[in-house]
Amino acid sequence: MPSTPPPRRRPTALIVGASRGIGRGLAAEFLDQGWDVIGTVRDTSARTPLHELAEQAEGRVTIEKLDINEPGHLGPLHERLADRELDLLLISAGTTNSQQKPIGEVTTPDFIDVMVTNALSPMRVIEALQDLVTPTGLIGALSSGQGSITNNTNAGREVYRGSKAALNMFMRSFAVRQADTRRGFILLAPGWIRTDLGGDDAPFTLEESIPLLVDVLLSKVGRPGLEYLDRSGNTVPW
């Protein structure tokens, strides 16, 4: 009699910054799409919406501790995930500030906080964990349309804009260094979404946005090279 083939492995997404907001929404949608999800939170002892999702997921959601601004967290996380294969590594964590000051008036601490959290730390995570991603997997980060230099026609939020433009440049360099691989790389501009980070004035809800974002991510799986895409899958100019 023919042998029974082993069960097919479910694809796995690691979403960094999944405790709430867009990250948690992405985790829930990938779960609904049949994926297993690993989500990171800064403090595993504090209950978050991701914990509520995990309780309903029958073991398909793993919660890991990671503060992206603490490089010392990366080695232990890598060790804990060493036996996992990742089909998607996505950095959702980030920060903003509400200051509309011209860049010359921004304090050094504010500048450092936004630039490190939005540009340097995501790339540290990607560099540290990229070897866990399958040869045809997808590596990406949430950028912003405000990171587009071409589309900056009205200024404002200059530190945030600069941090996302820097993230785009760093990701471009990373992708160039991996140009001989079959992996896909994505910078995803989700639009202004109504979350704790986005605020109440944002025009888009999580409920309408998350399925669109996951559709864009899934369409990029298996498509090598770096793309900077918006919520509809359209190319954003650098």
Side-chain angles (χ1 to χ4, degrees):
M1 295 181 63
S3 59
T4 302
R8 185 177 180 181
R9 180 182 69 87
R10 283 192 295 264
T12 300
L14 170 55
I15 300 175
V16 174
S19 62
R20 57 182 178 148
I22 295 175
R24 192 271 182 195
L26 292 171
E29 184 67 16
F30 272 105
L31 198 66
D32 287 345
Q33 296 270 358
W35 288 51
D36 287 349
V37 174
I38 305 167
T40 72
V41 300
R42 283 186 293 178
D43 182 3
T44 52
S45 66
R47 186 172 177 80
T48 71
L50 183 64
H51 288 80
E52 297 172 6
L53 180 66
E55 290 173 355
Q56 305 165 13
E58 299 180 344
R60 292 175 50 211
V61 173
T62 303
I63 299 178
E64 293 285 354
K65 179 178 181 177
L66 176 65
D67 183 334
I68 63 169
N69 289 338
E70 294 290 342
H73 288 186
L74 291 170
L77 177 60
H78 189 284
E79 291 181 10
R80 295 194 298 272
L81 299 180
D83 62 345
R84 304 288 297 266
E85 288 184 290
L86 305 179
D87 301 277
L88 169 64
L89 167 58
L90 182 68
I91 313 301
S92 176
T95 191
T96 188
N97 66 358
S98 59
Q99 295 187 31
Q100 295 293 335
K101 293 180 179 178
I103 188 64
E105 298 179 12
V106 174
T107 67
T108 298
D110 279 348
F111 180 86
I112 291 173
D113 178 55
V114 176
M115 292 295 289
V116 169
T117 303
N118 287 355
L120 176 59
S121 293
M123 296 312 303
R124 280 178 169 160
V125 175
I126 287 171
E127 295 273 12
L129 303 181
Q130 57 90 18
D131 64 303
L132 301 177
V133 179
T134 62
T136 56
L138 179 62
I139 298 175
L142 292 191
S143 182
S144 169
Q146 294 190 25
S148 168
I149 294 174
T150 300
N151 286 347
N152 183 4
T153 59
N154 57 359
R157 304 191 70 203
E158 294 181 18
V159 178
Y160 181 79
R161 286 180 183 274
S163 72
K164 292 301 186 178
L167 171 65
N168 293 351
M169 178 61 79
F170 298 150
M171 192 67 176
R172 182 76 176 258
S173 294
F174 177 78
V176 168
R177 286 189 270 117
Q178 298 216 5
D180 59 347
T181 73
R182 293 178 294 156
R183 286 174 172 167
F185 306 96
I186 187 169
L187 290 156
L188 182 57
W192 188 10
I193 300 175
R194 225 170 291 150
T195 63
D196 290 343
L197 192 67
D200 295 334
D201 294 332
F204 303 124
T205 67
L206 271 175
E207 291 75 17
E208 67 182 315
S209 300
I210 292 299
L212 297 175
L213 300 179
V214 171
D215 283 347
V216 174
L217 290 167
L218 291 176
S219 72
K220 181 61 179 165
V221 174
R223 197 165 76 217
L226 174 64
E227 295 179 73
Y228 181 18
L229 303 176
D230 67 14
R231 61 195 279 119
S232 299
N234 300 314
T235 298
V236 182
W238 297 104

